[in-house]
Amino acid sequence: FTVLPKFDGAMLILFGLFMLASLKIPWLNYEKRLSPSLGKTSSTLRSFFIGSFFSLAWTPCVGPILASILALAMSTETAPQGAALMAAYSLGLGIPFLIIAVALDSVLPLLKGMNRYSIPIYAVSGVLLIGIGVLIVMNRLNILSSL
């Protein structure tokens, strides 16, 4: 299993490079929007389909980070450590959605204002992935525990 951490680190570096490259290469970072007619009624089935399409649309956004967390979880020493990483990722992804859902009316202007910072946030995320990947490849990830 000594090859596995090196592979995981290399994957993190590649995902970080992909995130940074997608800022400059348009075909790596594009979106397609559909404008369906909005009906007057809502239903459970309609909500299910909207949620399903939303998750499909977010796959490219969440994919590199999720794959990185899965790689880190896979290379931990014990299953509970890997489960803790996945739980932290899940909470970090889910809690903001729950907060926004509860306070949508008051949070919407703030979210629109944060949109201008999305590129720097994406770039910093890519750099952090590369940094963590380099630490894993060099077997120096323990350096973070001393901070």
Side-chain angles (χ1 to χ4, degrees), residues 29-83:
N29 190 15
Y30 69 93
E31 66 181 62
K32 176 73 174 161
R33 291 184 183 228
L34 303 174
S35 298
S37 63
L38 300 174
K40 302 271 185 210
T41 62
S42 62
S43 68
T44 306
L45 184 61
R46 182 177 179 174
S47 297
F48 172 78
F49 282 122
I50 289 172
S52 299
F53 291 132
F54 182 78
S55 67
L56 287 174
W58 260 46
T59 300
C61 304
V62 177
I65 303 295
L66 176 58
S68 302
I69 298 296
L70 287 171
L72 284 173
M74 189 171 60
S75 64
T76 58
E77 293 183 19
T78 66
Q81 287 175 333

